[in-house]
Amino acid sequence: MKTLHIDYENAENEFLADELSSNEFSNFNLNCCCGSKFIECKECKPIDQDERDKIECVWKDGGIQRCFLQRHLFHLAESSKYFLDDLHRVTAPGYLPSLQDILYIRTPTIGVAESVFKIDDITYRVIDVAGQKSHRKKWIHFFDGVTAVIFFTSLNGFNELVDDFDDNTTNCLRDSLSLFKDIVRNEFLKNTDFILFLNKHDLFIEKLHDFKLKDYFCQYDGDNDAETATDFLQEEFMSRVPPEKTVYPHVTCATNTEIMKTVIADVMDIIVLINMRKIRTF
């Protein structure tokens, strides 16, 4: 608040905020509140009604809301608003997270995680790697021999800075474009097809109401509507693909289960087709 020079609308809420951040409430953690806190997290004490009411007062303060609108200037879990807007439900005794709640919980990948599962008698092996800059050099060799690379990028990062201790000046989406170019042209992956997920389209649409894409991508000269802006960013990624490379782009919203069912089904079909094509070449 002080850094952004934004005052609390209600002065009493400033005292509540100080109280919530004091030692008395040191076990309360917003990230945990939006994640494992509600699944019997042993590191955090339960939030009682008094604490919940104080959190709600602070969260609903006009100054806090103005600060939240400037969240591209600092790093805050995107799920914060979802859970804070519904604090009564998610802090109720006996609360069990819904499917939608689980989809909003984000646990960053640290290192390399492997998952194996079977769908329609076909076994899939998925290797998830950390996208943070400090981890990138460690995982490129894991891609050797894979059927396809699924590359996720957040469209709503067009006005944000990377969450990196050593770099607080690089635009998130430009960083993603640079990484995509490096990977799609990597010698280890010259015979590997790519599936591009332009994710968080819903949050991207919301941001376009308050921010202009051309303020962050000076080469963009279109209207600030979602369709035109999305097409431009998709082309920005596709223009970095070498001529001999096949990339399948998808505009996605990972928290929309209906849309993602169709997208995932398409992805599965693409992976099967890629495998069939490779078999025919032997």
Side-chain angles (χ1 to χ4, degrees):
M1 298 285 284
K2 292 180 180 179
T3 302
L4 297 176
H5 304 291
I6 296 176
D7 296 324
Y8 285 87
E9 194 171 87
N10 184 337
E12 293 183 3
N13 289 332
E14 184 171 3
F15 293 105
L16 291 179
D18 290 339
E19 184 180 350
L20 288 168
S21 60
S22 69
N23 291 333
E24 181 182 354
F25 297 102
S26 60
N27 286 332
F28 172 73
N29 180 283
L30 180 59
N31 290 327
C32 191
C33 168
C34 297
S36 58
K37 167 68 184 70
F38 302 121
I39 311 177
E40 301 297 326
C41 176
K42 296 180 180 179
E43 297 180 0
C44 297
K45 65 177 184 177
I47 299 174
D48 61 31
Q49 182 175 342
D50 180 60
E51 294 169 343
R52 182 193 66 200
D53 292 343
K54 290 175 180 178
I55 294 169
E56 283 193 324
C57 284
V58 174
W59 170 242
K60 292 179 179 179
D61 186 272
I64 288 289
Q65 291 301 310
R66 289 194 295 276
C67 185
F68 182 75
L69 289 175
Q70 301 298 315
R71 60 191 179 279
H72 62 287
L73 299 176
F74 53 94
H75 300 289
L76 181 67
E78 293 166 347
S79 58
S80 299
K81 176 176 172 57
Y82 173 83
F83 288 102
L84 288 169
D85 281 347
D86 210 3
L87 202 59
H88 271 266
R89 179 178 64 85
V90 299
T91 57
Y95 161 75
L96 287 175
S98 65
L99 174 60
Q100 199 67 19
D101 293 343
I102 294 171
L103 290 173
Y104 271 93
I105 295 171
R106 179 179 180 270
T107 303
T109 301
I110 303 298
V112 179
E114 181 178 337
S115 300
V116 179
F117 53 92
K118 182 176 288 188
I119 300 176
D120 296 332
D121 295 326
I122 298 176
T123 300
Y124 296 88
R125 177 170 170 255
V126 177
I127 300 173
D128 184 14
V129 297
Q132 295 92 337
K133 277 190 170 183
S134 58
H135 293 277
R136 291 175 184 172
K137 292 182 179 179
K138 304 175 184 178
W139 48 246
I140 190 64
H141 63 281
F142 281 95
F143 289 127
D144 188 27
V146 299
T147 301
V149 171
I150 300 177
F151 188 96
F152 279 85
T153 188
S154 297
L155 288 174
N156 69 315
F158 74 90
N159 69 334
E160 299 176 6
L161 300 178
V162 295
D163 186 5
D164 190 281
F165 181 78
D166 298 319
D167 182 359
N168 59 358
T169 60
T170 302
N171 178 279
C172 279
L173 201 50
R174 290 190 180 279
D175 179 62
S176 189
L177 283 163
S178 176
L179 176 61
F180 180 73
K181 180 180 178 180
D182 289 344
I183 294 179
V184 82
R185 294 172 178 267
N186 190 281
E187 186 64 22
F188 282 104
L189 303 170
K190 63 180 180 180
N191 297 318
T192 304
D193 290 342
F194 276 64
I195 300 168
L196 171 64
F197 276 13
L198 302 170
N199 197 32
K200 300 183 181 178
H201 190 240
D202 56 331
L203 300 179
F204 176 64
I205 293 173
E206 288 182 12
K207 275 196 176 180
L208 289 178
H209 296 153
D210 300 304
F211 301 95
K212 294 181 178 180
L213 182 60
K214 64 182 178 182
D215 289 342
Y216 303 90
F217 286 80
C218 59
Q219 68 271 39
Y220 179 66
D221 59 1
D223 294 332
N224 208 52
D225 64 280
E227 183 177 358
T228 308
T230 302
D231 289 344
F232 166 78
L233 291 176
Q234 178 170 311
E235 180 54 33
E236 284 290 293
F237 279 91
M238 298 303 290
S239 66
R240 287 158 171 77
V241 179
E244 70 279 5
K245 179 74 67 176
T246 300
V247 175
Y248 305 89
H250 289 80
V251 178
T252 62
C253 169
T255 57
N256 188 319
T257 55
E258 293 305 313
I259 292 176
M260 288 308 297
K261 284 179 183 178
T262 302
V263 171
I264 295 301
D266 289 344
V267 169
M268 297 302 182
D269 289 342
I270 290 169
I271 292 174
V272 171
L273 288 172
I274 292 172
N275 271 320
M276 293 176 64
R277 189 175 70 229
K278 286 185 176 182
I279 291 173
R280 287 197 297 266
T281 61
F282 289 119

Coordinates of all heavy atoms in Angstrom, one line a residue, residues 112-183:
V112 N 11.5 -31.5 -11.5 CA 10.9 -32.3 -12.6 C 9.9 -33.3 -11.9 O 10.3 -34.0 -11.0 CB 11.9 -33.0 -13.4 CG1 11.2 -33.9 -14.5 CG2 12.9 -32.1 -14.1
A113 N 8.7 -33.3 -12.4 CA 7.7 -34.2 -11.9 C 7.1 -35.1 -13.0 O 6.8 -34.6 -14.1 CB 6.5 -33.5 -11.2
E114 N 7.0 -36.4 -12.8 CA 6.6 -37.3 -13.8 C 5.3 -38.0 -13.4 O 5.1 -38.4 -12.3 CB 7.6 -38.4 -14.1 CG 7.2 -39.4 -15.2 CD 8.3 -40.4 -15.5 OE1 9.5 -40.1 -15.2 OE2 8.0 -41.5 -16.0
S115 N 4.3 -38.0 -14.3 CA 3.0 -38.7 -14.1 C 2.8 -39.7 -15.2 O 3.0 -39.4 -16.4 CB 1.9 -37.7 -14.0 OG 2.1 -36.7 -13.0
V116 N 2.2 -40.8 -14.9 CA 1.9 -41.9 -15.8 C 0.4 -42.2 -15.6 O 0.0 -42.5 -14.5 CB 2.8 -43.1 -15.7 CG1 2.4 -44.2 -16.7 CG2 4.2 -42.8 -15.9
F117 N -0.4 -42.2 -16.7 CA -1.8 -42.6 -16.6 C -2.2 -43.2 -17.9 O -1.6 -43.1 -18.9 CB -2.6 -41.3 -16.3 CG -2.5 -40.2 -17.2 CD1 -3.3 -40.0 -18.3 CD2 -1.5 -39.2 -17.0 CE1 -3.1 -39.0 -19.2 CE2 -1.3 -38.2 -17.8 CZ -2.1 -38.0 -18.9
K118 N -3.4 -43.9 -17.8 CA -3.9 -44.6 -18.9 C -5.3 -44.2 -19.3 O -6.1 -44.0 -18.4 CB -3.9 -46.1 -18.7 CG -4.4 -47.0 -19.8 CD -4.3 -48.5 -19.5 CE -2.9 -48.9 -19.5 NZ -2.8 -50.4 -19.4
I119 N -5.5 -43.9 -20.6 CA -6.8 -43.5 -21.1 C -7.1 -44.3 -22.3 O -6.3 -44.3 -23.3 CB -6.9 -42.0 -21.4 CG1 -6.6 -41.1 -20.2 CG2 -8.2 -41.6 -22.0 CD1 -6.5 -39.6 -20.5
D120 N -8.3 -45.0 -22.3 CA -8.7 -45.9 -23.4 C -7.5 -46.8 -23.9 O -7.2 -46.9 -25.0 CB -9.1 -45.0 -24.6 CG -10.3 -44.2 -24.3 OD1 -11.1 -44.6 -23.5 OD2 -10.5 -43.1 -24.9
D121 N -7.0 -47.5 -22.9 CA -5.9 -48.5 -23.1 C -4.6 -47.9 -23.7 O -3.8 -48.6 -24.2 CB -6.4 -49.6 -24.0 CG -7.5 -50.4 -23.4 OD1 -7.5 -50.6 -22.1 OD2 -8.5 -50.8 -24.1
I122 N -4.5 -46.6 -23.7 CA -3.3 -45.9 -24.1 C -2.6 -45.3 -22.9 O -3.2 -44.6 -22.1 CB -3.5 -44.8 -25.2 CG1 -4.2 -45.5 -26.4 CG2 -2.2 -44.1 -25.6 CD1 -4.6 -44.4 -27.4
T123 N -1.3 -45.7 -22.7 CA -0.6 -45.1 -21.6 C 0.1 -43.8 -22.0 O 0.8 -43.8 -23.0 CB 0.5 -46.2 -21.1 OG1 -0.2 -47.4 -20.7 CG2 1.3 -45.6 -19.9
Y124 N -0.1 -42.8 -21.1 CA 0.6 -41.5 -21.4 C 1.6 -41.3 -20.2 O 1.3 -41.5 -19.1 CB -0.5 -40.4 -21.4 CG -1.5 -40.5 -22.5 CD1 -2.6 -41.3 -22.4 CD2 -1.2 -39.9 -23.7 CE1 -3.5 -41.4 -23.4 CE2 -2.1 -39.9 -24.8 CZ -3.3 -40.7 -24.6 OH -4.2 -40.8 -25.6
R125 N 2.7 -40.7 -20.6 CA 3.7 -40.4 -19.7 C 4.0 -38.9 -19.8 O 4.4 -38.4 -20.9 CB 5.0 -41.1 -19.9 CG 6.2 -40.7 -19.0 CD 7.3 -41.7 -19.2 NE 8.6 -41.3 -18.6 CZ 9.6 -40.8 -19.3 NH1 9.6 -40.7 -20.6 NH2 10.7 -40.4 -18.6
V126 N 3.7 -38.1 -18.8 CA 3.8 -36.7 -18.8 C 4.9 -36.2 -17.9 O 5.0 -36.6 -16.7 CB 2.5 -36.0 -18.3 CG1 2.7 -34.5 -18.3 CG2 1.3 -36.4 -19.3
I127 N 5.8 -35.4 -18.4 CA 6.9 -34.9 -17.6 C 6.7 -33.4 -17.5 O 6.7 -32.6 -18.5 CB 8.3 -35.1 -18.3 CG1 8.5 -36.6 -18.5 CG2 9.4 -34.5 -17.5 CD1 9.8 -37.0 -19.3
D128 N 6.5 -33.0 -16.2 CA 6.2 -31.5 -15.9 C 7.5 -30.9 -15.4 O 8.1 -31.4 -14.4 CB 5.1 -31.5 -14.9 CG 4.7 -30.0 -14.6 OD1 5.1 -29.1 -15.4 OD2 4.0 -29.8 -13.6
V129 N 7.9 -29.8 -16.0 CA 9.2 -29.2 -15.6 C 8.9 -27.8 -15.1 O 7.9 -27.1 -15.5 CB 10.2 -29.1 -16.7 CG1 10.6 -30.6 -17.1 CG2 9.7 -28.4 -17.9
A130 N 9.7 -27.3 -14.2 CA 9.6 -25.9 -13.7 C 9.9 -24.9 -14.8 O 11.0 -25.0 -15.4 CB 10.5 -25.8 -12.5
G131 N 9.1 -23.9 -14.9 CA 9.4 -22.9 -15.9 C 10.2 -21.7 -15.4 O 10.5 -20.8 -16.2
Q132 N 10.4 -21.6 -14.1 CA 11.2 -20.5 -13.6 C 12.6 -20.4 -14.3 O 13.2 -21.4 -14.5 CB 11.3 -20.6 -12.1 CG 10.0 -20.4 -11.4 CD 9.4 -21.8 -11.1 OE1 9.7 -22.8 -11.8 NE2 8.5 -21.9 -10.1
K133 N 13.1 -19.2 -14.4 CA 14.4 -19.0 -15.1 C 15.5 -19.8 -14.5 O 16.3 -20.4 -15.2 CB 14.8 -17.6 -15.1 CG 14.1 -16.7 -16.2 CD 14.7 -15.4 -16.3 CE 14.3 -14.6 -17.6 NZ 14.9 -13.3 -17.7
S134 N 15.5 -19.9 -13.1 CA 16.6 -20.6 -12.4 C 16.6 -22.1 -12.7 O 17.6 -22.8 -12.4 CB 16.5 -20.3 -10.9 OG 15.2 -20.7 -10.4
H135 N 15.5 -22.6 -13.2 CA 15.4 -24.1 -13.4 C 15.6 -24.5 -14.8 O 15.7 -25.7 -15.1 CB 14.0 -24.6 -12.9 CG 13.8 -24.5 -11.4 ND1 14.2 -25.4 -10.5 CD2 13.2 -23.5 -10.7 CE1 13.9 -25.0 -9.3 NE2 13.3 -23.9 -9.4
R136 N 15.5 -23.6 -15.8 CA 15.4 -24.0 -17.2 C 16.6 -24.8 -17.7 O 16.4 -25.7 -18.5 CB 15.2 -22.7 -18.0 CG 13.9 -22.0 -17.8 CD 13.7 -20.7 -18.5 NE 12.4 -20.1 -18.2 CZ 12.1 -18.9 -18.5 NH1 12.9 -18.2 -19.3 NH2 10.9 -18.4 -18.2
K137 N 17.8 -24.4 -17.3 CA 18.9 -25.2 -17.9 C 19.0 -26.6 -17.4 O 19.7 -27.4 -17.9 CB 20.2 -24.4 -17.5 CG 20.4 -23.1 -18.2 CD 21.7 -22.4 -17.8 CE 21.8 -21.1 -18.5 NZ 23.1 -20.4 -18.2
K138 N 18.2 -26.9 -16.3 CA 18.3 -28.2 -15.7 C 17.5 -29.3 -16.4 O 17.7 -30.5 -16.2 CB 17.9 -28.1 -14.2 CG 18.7 -27.1 -13.4 CD 18.1 -27.0 -12.0 CE 18.9 -25.9 -11.2 NZ 18.3 -25.8 -9.8
W139 N 16.5 -28.8 -17.2 CA 15.5 -29.8 -17.7 C 15.4 -30.0 -19.2 O 14.7 -30.9 -19.6 CB 14.1 -29.5 -17.2 CG 13.6 -28.1 -17.3 CD1 13.3 -27.2 -16.3 CD2 13.2 -27.4 -18.5 NE1 12.8 -26.0 -16.8 CE2 12.7 -26.1 -18.1 CE3 13.2 -27.7 -19.9 CZ2 12.3 -25.2 -19.1 CZ3 12.8 -26.8 -20.8 CH2 12.4 -25.5 -20.4
I140 N 16.2 -29.3 -20.0 CA 16.1 -29.5 -21.4 C 16.4 -30.9 -21.9 O 15.7 -31.4 -22.8 CB 17.0 -28.5 -22.2 CG1 16.7 -28.5 -23.7 CG2 18.5 -28.8 -21.9 CD1 15.3 -28.0 -24.0
H141 N 17.3 -31.6 -21.2 CA 17.6 -33.0 -21.6 C 16.5 -34.0 -21.4 O 16.5 -35.1 -21.9 CB 18.9 -33.5 -21.0 CG 18.8 -33.6 -19.5 ND1 18.9 -32.5 -18.6 CD2 18.6 -34.6 -18.7 CE1 18.8 -32.9 -17.4 NE2 18.6 -34.2 -17.4
F142 N 15.5 -33.6 -20.5 CA 14.4 -34.5 -20.2 C 13.5 -34.6 -21.5 O 12.6 -35.5 -21.5 CB 13.6 -34.0 -19.1 CG 14.2 -34.3 -17.7 CD1 15.0 -33.4 -17.1 CD2 14.0 -35.5 -17.1 CE1 15.6 -33.6 -15.9 CE2 14.6 -35.8 -15.9 CZ 15.3 -34.9 -15.3
F143 N 13.6 -33.7 -22.4 CA 12.7 -33.8 -23.6 C 13.2 -34.7 -24.7 O 12.5 -34.9 -25.7 CB 12.6 -32.4 -24.2 CG 11.8 -31.4 -23.3 CD1 12.3 -30.2 -22.9 CD2 10.5 -31.8 -22.9 CE1 11.6 -29.3 -22.1 CE2 9.8 -30.9 -22.1 CZ 10.3 -29.7 -21.7
D144 N 14.4 -35.2 -24.5 CA 14.9 -36.1 -25.6 C 14.0 -37.3 -25.7 O 13.8 -38.1 -24.8 CB 16.3 -36.5 -25.2 CG 17.0 -37.3 -26.3 OD1 16.6 -37.0 -27.5 OD2 17.9 -38.1 -26.0
G145 N 13.5 -37.5 -27.0 CA 12.7 -38.7 -27.3 C 11.2 -38.6 -26.9 O 10.4 -39.5 -27.1
V146 N 10.7 -37.4 -26.5 CA 9.3 -37.3 -26.2 C 8.5 -37.2 -27.5 O 9.0 -36.8 -28.5 CB 9.0 -36.0 -25.3 CG1 9.8 -36.1 -24.0 CG2 9.4 -34.7 -26.0
T147 N 7.2 -37.5 -27.4 CA 6.3 -37.5 -28.5 C 5.9 -36.0 -28.9 O 5.9 -35.7 -30.1 CB 5.0 -38.2 -28.2 OG1 5.3 -39.6 -27.9 CG2 4.0 -38.2 -29.4
A148 N 5.7 -35.2 -27.9 CA 5.3 -33.8 -28.1 C 5.6 -33.0 -26.9 O 5.7 -33.5 -25.7 CB 3.8 -33.7 -28.4
V149 N 5.8 -31.7 -27.1 CA 6.0 -30.8 -26.0 C 4.8 -29.9 -25.9 O 4.3 -29.3 -26.9 CB 7.2 -29.9 -26.2 CG1 7.3 -28.8 -25.2 CG2 8.5 -30.7 -26.2
I150 N 4.2 -29.9 -24.7 CA 3.0 -29.0 -24.4 C 3.6 -27.7 -23.7 O 4.1 -27.8 -22.6 CB 2.0 -29.7 -23.6 CG1 1.5 -30.9 -24.2 CG2 0.8 -28.7 -23.3 CD1 0.4 -31.7 -23.4
F151 N 3.5 -26.6 -24.4 CA 4.0 -25.3 -23.9 C 2.9 -24.5 -23.4 O 2.0 -24.1 -24.1 CB 4.8 -24.6 -24.9 CG 5.6 -23.4 -24.5 CD1 6.9 -23.5 -24.1 CD2 4.9 -22.2 -24.4 CE1 7.6 -22.4 -23.7 CE2 5.6 -21.1 -23.9 CZ 7.0 -21.2 -23.6
F152 N 2.9 -24.1 -22.1 CA 1.9 -23.3 -21.5 C 2.4 -21.9 -21.4 O 3.5 -21.6 -21.0 CB 1.5 -23.8 -20.1 CG 0.5 -24.9 -20.0 CD1 0.9 -26.2 -20.2 CD2 -0.9 -24.6 -19.9 CE1 0.0 -27.2 -20.1 CE2 -1.8 -25.7 -19.8 CZ -1.3 -27.0 -20.0
T153 N 1.5 -20.9 -21.7 CA 1.9 -19.5 -21.5 C 0.6 -18.8 -21.0 O -0.5 -19.2 -21.3 CB 2.4 -18.8 -22.7 OG1 2.9 -17.5 -22.4 CG2 1.3 -18.7 -23.8
S154 N 0.8 -17.8 -20.1 CA -0.4 -17.1 -19.6 C -0.6 -15.8 -20.4 O 0.2 -14.9 -20.3 CB -0.1 -16.8 -18.1 OG 0.0 -17.9 -17.3
L155 N -1.7 -15.7 -21.1 CA -2.0 -14.5 -21.8 C -2.1 -13.3 -21.0 O -1.7 -12.2 -21.4 CB -3.3 -14.7 -22.6 CG -3.3 -15.7 -23.8 CD1 -4.7 -15.8 -24.4 CD2 -2.3 -15.2 -24.9
N156 N -2.6 -13.5 -19.7 CA -2.8 -12.3 -18.9 C -1.5 -11.8 -18.3 O -1.5 -10.7 -17.6 CB -3.7 -12.7 -17.7 CG -3.1 -13.6 -16.7 OD1 -2.5 -14.6 -17.1 ND2 -3.3 -13.3 -15.4
G157 N -0.4 -12.4 -18.7 CA 0.9 -11.9 -18.2 C 1.5 -10.7 -19.1 O 2.6 -10.3 -18.9
F158 N 0.6 -10.2 -20.0 CA 1.1 -9.2 -21.0 C 1.5 -7.9 -20.3 O 2.3 -7.1 -20.8 CB 0.1 -8.9 -22.0 CG -1.1 -8.1 -21.6 CD1 -1.1 -6.7 -21.7 CD2 -2.2 -8.7 -21.1 CE1 -2.2 -6.0 -21.2 CE2 -3.3 -8.0 -20.7 CZ -3.3 -6.6 -20.7
N159 N 1.1 -7.7 -19.1 CA 1.4 -6.4 -18.4 C 2.1 -6.7 -17.0 O 2.2 -5.8 -16.2 CB 0.2 -5.5 -18.1 CG -0.7 -6.2 -17.1 OD1 -0.8 -7.4 -16.9 ND2 -1.5 -5.3 -16.4
E160 N 2.6 -7.9 -16.9 CA 3.3 -8.3 -15.6 C 4.8 -8.5 -15.8 O 5.3 -8.7 -16.9 CB 2.7 -9.6 -15.1 CG 1.2 -9.5 -14.8 CD 0.6 -10.8 -14.3 OE1 1.4 -11.8 -14.1 OE2 -0.6 -10.9 -14.2
L161 N 5.5 -8.5 -14.7 CA 6.9 -8.7 -14.7 C 7.2 -10.1 -14.2 O 6.4 -10.7 -13.4 CB 7.7 -7.7 -13.8 CG 7.5 -6.2 -14.3 CD1 8.3 -5.3 -13.3 CD2 8.0 -6.0 -15.7
V162 N 8.3 -10.8 -14.6 CA 8.6 -12.1 -14.2 C 8.8 -12.2 -12.7 O 9.3 -11.2 -12.1 CB 9.8 -12.7 -14.9 CG1 9.6 -12.8 -16.4 CG2 11.1 -11.8 -14.7
D163 N 8.4 -13.3 -12.1 CA 8.6 -13.5 -10.7 C 10.0 -14.2 -10.5 O 10.1 -15.4 -10.3 CB 7.5 -14.4 -10.1 CG 7.5 -14.5 -8.6 OD1 8.4 -13.9 -8.0 OD2 6.7 -15.3 -8.1
D164 N 11.0 -13.3 -10.5 CA 12.4 -13.8 -10.4 C 13.2 -12.9 -9.6 O 13.2 -11.7 -9.8 CB 13.0 -14.0 -11.8 CG 14.3 -14.7 -11.8 OD1 15.3 -14.1 -11.4 OD2 14.3 -15.9 -12.1
F165 N 13.9 -13.4 -8.6 CA 14.6 -12.6 -7.6 C 15.7 -11.8 -8.3 O 16.0 -10.6 -8.0 CB 15.3 -13.5 -6.6 CG 16.1 -12.7 -5.5 CD1 15.5 -12.1 -4.5 CD2 17.5 -12.7 -5.6 CE1 16.2 -11.4 -3.6 CE2 18.2 -11.9 -4.7 CZ 17.6 -11.3 -3.6
D166 N 16.3 -12.3 -9.4 CA 17.4 -11.6 -10.1 C 16.9 -10.8 -11.3 O 17.7 -10.2 -12.0 CB 18.4 -12.7 -10.6 CG 19.1 -13.4 -9.4 OD1 19.4 -12.8 -8.4 OD2 19.2 -14.7 -9.6
D167 N 15.6 -10.8 -11.5 CA 15.1 -10.1 -12.7 C 13.7 -9.6 -12.4 O 12.8 -10.3 -12.3 CB 15.0 -11.0 -13.9 CG 14.6 -10.3 -15.2 OD1 14.3 -9.1 -15.1 OD2 14.5 -11.0 -16.2
N168 N 13.6 -8.3 -12.2 CA 12.3 -7.6 -11.9 C 12.0 -6.6 -13.0 O 11.3 -5.6 -12.7 CB 12.3 -7.0 -10.5 CG 13.4 -5.9 -10.4 OD1 14.2 -5.7 -11.3 ND2 13.4 -5.3 -9.2
T169 N 12.5 -6.8 -14.2 CA 12.3 -5.8 -15.3 C 11.7 -6.4 -16.5 O 11.2 -5.7 -17.4 CB 13.6 -5.1 -15.6 OG1 14.6 -6.0 -16.1 CG2 14.2 -4.3 -14.4
T170 N 11.8 -7.8 -16.7 CA 11.4 -8.4 -17.9 C 9.9 -8.7 -17.9 O 9.3 -9.2 -16.9 CB 12.1 -9.8 -18.1 OG1 13.5 -9.5 -18.1 CG2 11.7 -10.4 -19.4
N171 N 9.2 -8.4 -19.0 CA 7.8 -8.6 -19.1 C 7.5 -10.1 -19.2 O 8.3 -10.9 -19.9 CB 7.3 -7.9 -20.4 CG 5.9 -8.2 -20.7 OD1 5.5 -9.2 -21.2 ND2 5.0 -7.2 -20.3
C172 N 6.5 -10.6 -18.5 CA 6.2 -12.0 -18.4 C 6.0 -12.6 -19.8 O 6.5 -13.7 -20.1 CB 5.0 -12.3 -17.5 SG 5.4 -12.3 -15.8
L173 N 5.2 -12.0 -20.6 CA 4.8 -12.6 -21.9 C 5.9 -12.5 -22.8 O 6.1 -13.4 -23.6 CB 3.5 -11.9 -22.4 CG 2.7 -12.7 -23.5 CD1 2.4 -14.1 -23.0 CD2 1.4 -12.0 -23.8
R174 N 6.7 -11.5 -22.8 CA 7.9 -11.4 -23.7 C 8.9 -12.5 -23.2 O 9.6 -13.1 -24.1 CB 8.5 -10.0 -23.6 CG 7.7 -8.9 -24.3 CD 8.4 -7.6 -24.4 NE 7.6 -6.6 -25.0 CZ 7.5 -6.5 -26.3 NH1 8.1 -7.4 -27.1 NH2 6.7 -5.5 -26.8
D175 N 9.0 -12.7 -22.0 CA 9.9 -13.8 -21.5 C 9.4 -15.1 -22.0 O 10.2 -16.0 -22.4 CB 10.0 -13.8 -20.0 CG 10.9 -14.8 -19.4 OD1 12.1 -14.8 -19.7 OD2 10.3 -15.7 -18.7
S176 N 8.1 -15.3 -22.0 CA 7.5 -16.6 -22.5 C 7.8 -16.7 -24.0 O 8.1 -17.8 -24.4 CB 6.0 -16.6 -22.2 OG 5.5 -17.9 -22.5
L177 N 7.7 -15.7 -24.7 CA 7.9 -15.7 -26.2 C 9.4 -16.1 -26.4 O 9.7 -16.8 -27.3 CB 7.6 -14.3 -26.8 CG 6.1 -14.0 -27.0 CD1 6.0 -12.5 -27.2 CD2 5.6 -14.8 -28.2
S178 N 10.3 -15.5 -25.6 CA 11.7 -15.8 -25.8 C 12.0 -17.3 -25.5 O 12.8 -17.9 -26.2 CB 12.5 -14.9 -24.9 OG 13.9 -15.2 -25.0
L179 N 11.4 -17.8 -24.4 CA 11.6 -19.2 -24.0 C 11.0 -20.1 -25.1 O 11.7 -21.1 -25.5 CB 11.0 -19.4 -22.7 CG 11.0 -20.9 -22.2 CD1 12.4 -21.4 -22.0 CD2 10.2 -21.0 -20.9
F180 N 9.9 -19.8 -25.6 CA 9.2 -20.6 -26.6 C 10.1 -20.7 -27.9 O 10.3 -21.7 -28.4 CB 7.9 -20.0 -27.0 CG 7.1 -20.8 -28.0 CD1 6.5 -22.0 -27.8 CD2 7.0 -20.3 -29.3 CE1 5.9 -22.7 -28.7 CE2 6.3 -21.0 -30.3 CZ 5.7 -22.2 -30.0
K181 N 10.7 -19.5 -28.3 CA 11.5 -19.5 -29.4 C 12.7 -20.4 -29.2 O 13.2 -21.1 -30.1 CB 12.0 -18.1 -29.7 CG 12.9 -18.0 -31.0 CD 13.3 -16.5 -31.2 CE 14.2 -16.4 -32.4 NZ 14.6 -15.0 -32.6
D182 N 13.3 -20.3 -28.0 CA 14.5 -21.1 -27.7 C 14.2 -22.6 -27.8 O 15.0 -23.4 -28.3 CB 15.1 -20.7 -26.4 CG 15.7 -19.4 -26.3 OD1 16.0 -18.8 -27.4 OD2 15.9 -18.8 -25.2
I183 N 13.1 -23.0 -27.2 CA 12.7 -24.4 -27.1 C 12.3 -25.0 -28.5 O 12.7 -26.1 -28.9 CB 11.7 -24.6 -26.0 CG1 12.2 -24.3 -24.7 CG2 11.2 -26.1 -26.1 CD1 11.2 -24.5 -23.6

